[in-house]
Amino acid sequence: MRTILVTGGAGFIGANFVRMVLDEQPGTRVVNLDKLTYAGNLENLTGYTDTPDHIFVKGDIADAELVSTLIDEHKINAIINFAAESHVDRSLVEPGVFIQTNVQGTLTLLKLALEKKIERFLQVSTDEVYGSLGDDGLFTETTPLSPNSPYSASKAAADMLVAAFGHSFGLKYNITRCSNNYGPYQFPEKMLPLMIHNAKNDKELPVYGDGLYVRDWLFVYDHCTAIWKVLTEAEPGTVYNVGGNNEKTNMAVIGAILERLDKPESLIRHVKDRPGHDRRYAIDSSKIMSELGWAPTVTFEEGILKTIDWYLSNSDWLDHIVSGQYQQYYDSMYTNR
Ligand code: NAD
Ligand code: DAU
């Protein structure tokens, strides 16, 4: 039996990862440490909390005493760090908490991973650490880090700390840098579930600027399988990019949502742009494909339909979120924009 500490496992990708591990990896026990911030939601784990192979703990990755106890008590073999403040727009308004969790919290985990001789530390990072691309080219693992938002700056700082702990102290680590994920359980502050929710309710779709910003969309399950492969098969001290090879403009994604929901384009409203908005992200995933044999399994055309249908048939999940504190956030972000 192997026991892994998954942090942020009540968030969007973390919960999908925990579900995948429990479904597909018998012999692996998951200790799930999550602070349950506004983005953490135990409903993401419905059906998976009442099992001896999944221990949920509410707590902060920056709480060294708690993390130390969990590592000892559960004989943790590996740490997979998903926990983060993850939304770019929020980082532009309140960057401090991004530094606290994404940098300080990661540092706390690193120190303990080293002290307790954890076999592998996997840092879940993002393509945003590379900055923005023009019309051509792809991010590779050797593209210099050049983050543009407080969010991506905090993630780049964490990546560099992880690598520094490997270089200076011999910590066995990996870093994965993934493009935009989509799929079930994504918090509706993010573009895709936000637009699905608004379109369904005949509300305006707030498109930042001209809407011709490009993201490389990856179905969340495929990201989870990539992380598992890196955790179990990669050499220590390596970085892997993970992408879907699905570059789309925001307008194209929104067009697909409107078509599926049979809603008019007149719902689209171009609003004030995000400050410092990165124009294009695109990932070269050839390293993980050739070295570890990973490949995405879900095309954008399949994934977008699956995703829309999931949000439509799980309207309770969405309603619980949008009826609470999130409504205040939405009003403060989008009124008079
Ligand atoms: P999310 O915001 O949905 O979830 C983050 C989770 O972390 C939440 O459950 C939250 O409660 C928890 N958390 C926050 N601060 C914490 C703390 N101090 N201690 C413990 N738990 C804490 O984020 P997500 O979209 O699932 O992203 C997960 C990770 O993947 C992040 O590190 C993010 O940078 C990275 N990533 C995300 C994407 C994407 O498209 N969403 C793409 C690439 C990389
Ligand atoms: O690339 C990986 C990153 O993808 C992750 O590291 C981040 O955690 C994740 O949030 C995501 O960042 P983005 O900024 O790309 O995602 P977001 O969903 O916020 O925005 C996607 C695009 O849609 C972006 O160009 C901004 C635009 N947008 C977003 C919102 C919320 C809009 O036009 N309107 C909106 O209301």
Side-chain angles (χ1 to χ4, degrees):
M1 173 67 76
R2 150 177 49 196
T3 306
I4 59 177
L5 176 63
V6 172
T7 70
F12 164 46
I13 306 173
N16 277 283
F17 181 79
V18 169
R19 286 168 167 268
M20 183 201 74
V21 170
L22 295 172
D23 284 344
E24 299 178 11
Q25 301 298 335
T28 303
R29 207 156 55 109
V30 176
V31 177
N32 181 352
L33 173 63
D34 195 297
K35 192 176 173 184
L36 296 181
T37 66
Y38 77 91
N41 183 355
L42 283 177
E43 285 188 47
N44 298 355
L45 295 162
T46 301
Y48 287 76
T49 40
D50 240 356
T51 140
D53 287 342
H54 180 207
I55 297 136
F56 181 82
V57 181
K58 181 177 187 294
D60 194 327
I61 57 168
D63 181 344
E65 209 179 306
L66 172 64
V67 176
S68 171
T69 305
L70 291 178
I71 293 174
D72 291 344
E73 195 179 317
H74 299 288
K75 300 190 172 36
I76 299 293
N77 303 106
I79 298 176
I80 300 102
N81 185 27
F82 291 93
E85 288 294 332
S86 68
H87 194 38
V88 173
D89 290 329
R90 289 184 190 253
S91 81
L92 296 162
V93 179
E94 204 190 341
V97 67
F98 286 72
I99 303 304
Q100 174 56 29
T101 287
N102 301 1
V103 184
Q104 192 62 44
T106 302
L107 178 60
T108 304
L109 295 176
L110 287 169
K111 284 181 180 167
L112 286 163
L114 194 66
E115 182 190 318
K116 310 273 183 192
K117 301 189 172 43
I118 293 295
E119 290 158 35
R120 196 58 66 96
F121 186 95
L122 194 152
Q123 174 70 3
V124 180
S125 186
T126 167
D127 58 0
E128 298 201 12
V129 298
Y130 297 123
S132 183
L133 291 164
D135 290 342
D136 303 316
L138 301 171
F139 296 131
T140 71
E141 289 80 358
T142 55
T143 301
L145 304 197
S146 180
N148 288 319
S149 72
Y151 161 70
S152 53
S154 70
K155 292 295 289 185
D159 282 16
M160 292 180 117
L161 277 173
V162 173
F165 267 64
H167 184 83
S168 304
F169 310 123
L171 179 78
K172 291 196 166 62
Y173 75 89
N174 298 101
I175 298 171
T176 54
R177 298 195 178 123
C178 190
S179 59
N180 285 59
N181 284 218
Y182 69 107
Y185 305 108
Q186 186 167 31
F187 194 85
E189 66 191 349
K190 305 294 188 326
M191 191 268 270
L192 215 140
L194 185 153
M195 299 299 176
I196 295 171
H197 176 71
N198 283 15
K200 182 184 140 206
N201 294 296
D202 297 307
K203 284 175 67 178
E204 282 180 347
L205 310 186
V207 175
Y208 296 168
D210 62 9
L212 299 179
Y213 295 85
V214 173
R215 299 292 183 261
D216 172 1
W217 294 93
L218 179 70
F219 195 67
V220 62
Y221 176 79
D222 285 329
H223 184 194
C224 294
T225 62
I227 290 171
W228 186 259
K229 274 228 168 242
V230 172
L231 179 71
T232 54
E233 296 179 29
E235 290 298 317
T238 51
V239 178
Y240 287 93
N241 282 353
V242 186
N245 200 20
N246 274 315
E247 283 188 57
K248 303 277 174 210
T249 62
N250 296 336
M251 290 301 280
V253 174
I254 290 163
I257 295 171
L258 288 174
E259 193 183 329
R260 178 66 170 182
L261 294 177
D262 198 19
K263 297 287 182 179
E265 282 191 4
S266 56
L267 284 178
I268 293 174
R269 191 161 73 86
H270 290 271
V271 299
K272 194 165 147 238
D273 211 344
R274 171 185 282 173
H277 199 166
D278 285 339
R279 191 62 169 170
R280 175 173 167 260
Y281 305 141
I283 282 267
D284 178 349
S285 308
S286 54
K287 184 178 172 192
I288 189 170
M289 295 177 88
S290 64
E291 290 186 8
L292 303 182
W294 173 86
T297 59
V298 182
T299 64
F300 184 77
E301 289 65 32
E302 289 164 341
I304 187 79
L305 297 185
K306 269 187 173 183
T307 303
I308 295 169
D309 291 350
W310 187 88
Y311 286 97
L312 294 183
S313 53
N314 288 276
S315 48
D316 278 1
W317 178 90
L318 202 54
D319 290 346
H320 291 168
I321 295 172
V322 295
S323 59
Q325 214 183 21
Y326 175 68
Q327 191 56 50
Q328 285 167 24
Y329 164 83
Y330 191 87
D331 292 344
S332 72
M333 248 5 221
Y334 292 93
T335 306
N336 302 325
R337 185 163 188 152

